[in-house]
Amino acid sequence: MTSLATLAAAQGNVPAATGITAYAWLLVALPLLGAAVLLFGGRVTDAWGPYFAVAMSWAAFVVGLLIWLVMLGRPGGERAADLHLFSWVPAGSFKVDAGMLVDQLSLAFVLLVTFVGSLIHVYSLGYMAHDPDKRRFFGYLNLFVAAMLLLVLANSYLLLYVGWEGVGLASYLLIGFWSQNPSYATAGNKAFIANRVGDFGLSVAIMIMFVTFGAVDFQSVDAGASHANGAAVTAMGLMLLLGACGKSAQFPLQSWLGDAMAGPTPVSALIHAATMVTAGVYLVVRSHAIFDASPGAQLAVVIVGAITLLFGAVVGCAKDDIKKALAASTMSQIGYMMLAAGLGPVGYAFAIFHLLTHGFFKAGMFLGAGSVMHGMNDQVDMRRFGGLSTVMKVTWVTFGLGWLAIIGFPGLSGYWSKDKIIESAFVGDGWHAWVFGLAAMIGAGITAFYMSRLFFMTFQGERRWTDDVHPHESPLTMTVPMVVLAVGSALLGVAIGPTGIIQSWLEPVVGTHPEHEHTVLPALAITLLTLLLVAAGIALAWMRYWRDAVPTMAPAGSLLTQAARHDLYQDEVNEGLLMRPGIHLTRSLVFADNRGVDGAVGGLAALVGGTSSRVRRLQNGFARSYALTMLAGVVVFLGALWVIQ
Amino acid sequence: MTSFPWLTVIGVVPLVGAAILAALPASVADRAKHIALGVSGVTLVLAVAGALQFRAGSGQQFQLVEKHQWIPQFGVSYALGVDGIALVMILMAVILTPVCILAAWNDVPEGGSREKNYFALLLVLETFMVGVFAATDVFLFYILFEAMLIPVYFLIGSYGGPRRQYAAMKFLLYSLAGGLIMLVAVIALYQYGPGGTDGFLVERLTGLKLGATPERLMFLGFFVAFAIKAPMWPVHTWLPDAATESSPATAVLLVGVLDKVGTFGMIRFCLQLFPEASKWATPVVIVLAVISVLYGALLAIGQTDMMRLIAYTSVSHFGFIVLGIFAMTTVGGAGSTLYMLNHGFSTAALFLIAAMLIARRGSKRIPDYGGWQKVTPALAGVFLFAGMASLALPGLGPFVSEFLVLVGTFQRYRAAAVIATFGIILAALYILLMYKRMMGGPKPELSAPVLDLSVREKLVVAPLIAAFLFLGFYPKPVLDVLNPAVATTLQKVGVHDPAPTLAADGSSK
């Protein structure tokens, strides 16, 4: 009976939080306070509300920074701390306490979320300056930051679930922020519902954990995973993966992310690029003990990652809407992270590494896209851009750094993080290594093509502007965050990648990072081949979208182009398989419920279902019939009992 | 133990209030609602004071006990007492009553004696609600169970919508049919019991050796009545009609509180009095509960009438409650009983906020709205909040209870729990589609200006939102009261929680 307790003890319990770490709850409480003040405060907060929200977000960053500094002063094995908050759900044998696990992994997210989040808060001051509903917007942003921090700081799967759906709610609210446009409201619904399908998986995973381990906190699950029944662990892994697919827009639950671009652009940058959509990767890495114990579940993660990275890359090549092209790219890049996370100890650190660098360069590019839209009357069609490099210099340069980072230009952040993932994918023997390695490598080439296409169509070539636009550079509140993120896009990778900092930082959480694993191709060959493909991608994009004129109307295109424009027919598949049958089922049930079930129940409803005269007749003889029925019932029942005895 | 008759007093105060209202001279009839609100407020204070006397985990099943002979010839006693579950139900009833009265402020615009009687009926209903949860004598319970129908019948039949007569009659017939079957079982149970002047007391009828067949028949007698009341598929069809035709306040008390007597009865009577028969029936009940979860949700998706939609969501939610009860685990039991409380608040919020919209737009039809987020942003906000509670968003009360039900069910019935979990996807659909159709889209052209939430309406909504947040983040005080009662129940049934598999078979790989 005591196996779990002894197992946990053998692993060593995480010490209780002390000092500033004991105030980690402020990370969630501060932005939550901001959200509450803005959303419940009403119009009196209109004037100062947005600034208050910005302050709360930066305050959370400061708290995170202080905790980080304290953590740096300790040796690796003693950095994690457990912060017990209160007894949350003590129900029968199910007992879950609310608490926070402040370790290297959660703190990496805290710093990313609060830093990028705060920059985007500042950017929004400029971007949303003229929106009448500005206060509501900032309230939702604060709500998002609070929920995201709860997600990564929770010490149990159940509390993680609160943050998990909390960020989903914030995402839903912000996608549908301009709900006067019905298609935007639909996009919000689509996101929430696809996420709920994922949450089905997360729910079932937690249920399996409880019946297997008798607990759902990370420590108990980590300790027990390698000792539990193999089928149960695989089931847990697959269900967690389903949850991750919903949140991170991975195949087959990817369809909501493109539509989610209906939200204001700062939201796309923060939620649908840098942070929330990467939560699935966090979930897999956080559950590494489960995946390490189940090769089957790991393989599923890798397959999902590989499919999604190619899916997103192909779709990204055909989109003319700048935000949708970036969204497809996000999907694809998270596919890389997912693939890495599925590779096990060789990939965990790189999954998180790429997640961090991606958080900077993708957020930066989305903010750049927002800046372009700001100057172009909210135009999003890249066929109507072109030649913006001369009029929006800051946007051009910062976006350019993001572009070079994502395609893996040597020296910039994406080069260090993505190259490591490609290399890791080639680790091992047999078909796995070849298939996933080549998928990752080819994906890099396609990425170079579609991102260069995007960059050239927007900033280079001749001007294809509509007559009424007068593009101009954005105000400082917008450009300063873009500059900061661009610096990160350039330097973060080299700072923590080749120095080995990211591997050793995460080692106490995800286990020792194996060095010099055998790859089916030499590492140098992988790097060179990748660079070759990247160069080819850039060259092709240069010929078609810079050197040659870009038509303002999209040409018909090949069958593949048409399929990619339609997101490889993902919506058609979902509608055919789920939506239309669902509508039919609902309609026929409504019909049957009114006629069938209602009429069939003991003839009772049929008795009154007819005309009013029949009802009247019943009413008149009511007292007698009551007594009569009662008598008959008693007689029959007692008679039956008597017979049985 | 205290000798002060808390439960009697809590029950009688609203009845006295109703009598005062009924006797109110016509000249001051317009003060009726103020008096009703005051009386329900006093009741709430008394109930809270009574609840503070309750000691969770004291080892006694019933507390605040009162016992007097009533009809000794037939063994009927006036016996009251509460366990944790009954206490929580009573608190829910006395919290929701003033909220409903405040929400019903303008339900009877013509005023006069009609208005006065309306509020008097609501107070009478409160008395019966307290009584039915407090009764520890089976016959007294039965009488109150049936007596509840009277005020509800008049509330629906006299103060409802255009098809109120039909709905009231349907409600009455369904309830009476169930009640009659139960009456037979009640009488039969007495025959098997020890008899004597207090032979109808619950504790006297617990643990009887009934024999398999009679126990099963009596179980069915009770269960059918409770399943109709709950309501479960396929005897749910009275609910949508009753909910859409009655006034919103009535609908809240009907669906939020009265229907809980069904699930409350399953725990108190079916499980405890007929443990073997309950186990025998479990497979069928689990299947019916899972069907209710999915069927109610699918039907809700297909509705175009807001009130009917909300009623069908309740069919789905009651499916979850019954599922947790018959899973017969401490987790499922705690989840179900907590769900009974949460559902009271979430349904109240949905019904009452929907009614605020209906009062402005004059229509219950969802397609008649659109773009109302721009018309009444605050009202849209609280409507979404209530919807999020209903779809069990983590962080709000209903999530905790729904998840506990699913986990508790999964311990014994894996497939049933997994299938029921699909309910969370359907819940997102019925809430979000309704919200989008009503609130999304361009601002509509309205002939007259529409005001956003009034102060009175804010006072109606505020306690409900506070309840969602409190029960979502800190349900411990309530669970501490419920856990011992659930444990007692399961002990009487004679079942134990399955142990975690890892602990059970050691380090099996």
Side-chain angles (χ1 to χ4, degrees), chain A residues 424-443:
Chain A
S424 306
F426 276 107
V427 166
D429 304 292
W431 66 273
H432 285 199
W434 281 110
V435 168
F436 300 127
L438 286 175
M441 187 185 271
I442 293 167

Side-chain angles (χ1 to χ4, degrees), chain A residues 90 179 196 211 227 593 598 637, chain B residues 170 184 237 295 312 441 483 508:
Chain A
S179 68
R196 269 263 156 155
V211 299
H227 303 269
D593 196 66
D598 203 4
F637 200 89
Chain B
K170 193 168 170 181
V184 177
T237 55
Y295 188 90
Y312 276 111
N483 279 329
S508 70

Side-chain angles (χ1 to χ4, degrees), chain A residues 205-575:
Chain A
I206 300 176
M207 290 178 216
I208 305 174
M209 284 172 200
F210 178 64
V211 299
T212 309
F213 307 118
V216 299
D217 59 298
F218 294 142
Q219 254 190 294
S220 305
V221 174
D222 279 2
S226 58
H227 303 269
N229 175 287
V233 176
T234 301
M236 267 179 241
L238 293 177
M239 286 293 119
L240 287 173
L241 175 62
L242 181 61
C245 284
K247 191 62 68 195
S248 292
Q250 298 292 291
F251 183 82
L253 294 177
Q254 79 287 353
S255 69
W256 63 272
L257 187 62
D259 293 4
M261 297 301 118
T265 305
V267 171
S268 312
L270 177 60
I271 301 184
H272 304 120
T275 56
M276 182 194 84
V277 285
T278 57
V281 180
Y282 171 78
L283 185 69
V284 173
V285 175
R286 178 56 87 194
S287 312
H288 64 92
I290 291 172
F291 287 98
D292 286 345
S294 168
Q298 273 186 329
L299 181 61
V301 174
V302 177
I303 291 174
V304 164
I307 292 178
T308 313
L309 85 86
L310 291 174
F311 192 119
V314 169
V315 169
C317 294
K319 290 287 177 189
D320 290 332
D321 177 326
I322 186 170
K323 287 183 71 182
K324 294 210 165 171
L326 284 173
S329 155
T330 302
M331 215 176 107
S332 170
Q333 295 301 308
I334 298 171
Y336 273 104
M337 301 169 207
M338 208 49 107
L339 187 146
L343 294 172
V346 71
Y348 292 134
F350 298 139
I352 299 300
F353 183 25
H354 194 52
L355 193 156
L356 295 174
T357 57
H358 176 259
F360 275 83
F361 59 68
K362 188 54 72 58
M365 283 191 283
F366 261 113
L367 294 191
S371 173
V372 168
M373 288 162 61
H374 199 69
M376 299 286 281
N377 294 354
D378 286 329
Q379 175 68 268
V380 288
D381 185 359
M382 295 190 291
R383 294 187 181 278
R384 286 299 183 176
F385 294 162
L388 286 170
S389 56
T390 49
V391 283
M392 304 176 82
K393 284 241 173 352
V394 180
T395 308
W396 175 56
V397 171
T398 55
F399 201 111
L401 280 169
W403 161 61
L404 291 173
I406 193 174
I407 64 174
F409 192 82
L412 297 184
S413 288
Y415 168 75
W416 301 107
S417 55
K418 194 160 55 173
D419 196 57
K420 281 291 171 194
I421 292 179
I422 297 171
E423 200 181 309
S424 306
F426 276 107
V427 166
D429 304 292
W431 66 273
H432 285 199
W434 281 110
V435 168
F436 300 127
L438 286 175
M441 187 185 271
I442 293 167
I446 309 177
T447 306
F449 170 73
Y450 73 75
M451 284 311 301
S452 305
R453 170 183 181 268
L454 187 154
F455 187 72
F456 298 155
M457 277 175 92
T458 305
F459 292 101
Q460 314 299 4
E462 84 271 26
R463 300 174 173 183
R464 302 177 299 275
W465 309 344
T466 46
D467 296 336
D468 52 340
V469 297
H470 308 285
H472 51 85
E473 189 53 275
S474 301
L476 278 178
T477 46
M478 291 168 67
T479 50
V480 170
M482 283 154 56
V483 169
V484 176
L485 289 171
V487 171
S489 309
L491 300 180
L492 184 67
V494 69
I496 63 175
T499 50
I501 289 178
I502 187 74
Q503 292 99 310
S504 56
W505 174 256
L506 288 173
E507 192 174 299
V509 182
V510 297
T512 313
H513 186 86
E515 292 293 333
H516 308 299
E517 287 276 330
H518 168 70
T519 48
V520 289
L521 273 179
L524 187 66
I526 296 173
T527 305
L528 288 177
L529 274 173
T530 308
L531 285 177
L532 202 66
L533 280 170
V534 168
I538 300 173
L540 187 62
W542 173 77
M543 285 190 291
R544 294 184 55 181
Y545 300 102
W546 188 347
R547 192 192 61 185
D548 298 350
V550 178
T552 51
M553 290 298 293
S558 66
L559 279 177
L560 180 63
T561 309
Q562 287 174 18
R565 270 185 205 142
H566 283 94
D567 303 287
L568 303 183
Y569 302 111
Q570 60 186 13
D571 291 336
E572 286 77 3
V573 171
N574 286 346
E575 278 167 26

Side-chain angles (χ1 to χ4, degrees), chain B residues 263-287:
Chain B
T263 46
F264 172 80
M266 288 179 198
I267 301 171
R268 170 70 64 79
F269 299 103
C270 291
L271 257 55
Q272 298 196 33
L273 302 188
F274 316 111
E276 292 309 316
S278 298
K279 287 185 225 167
W280 162 76
T282 294
V284 177
V285 178
I286 295 278
V287 169

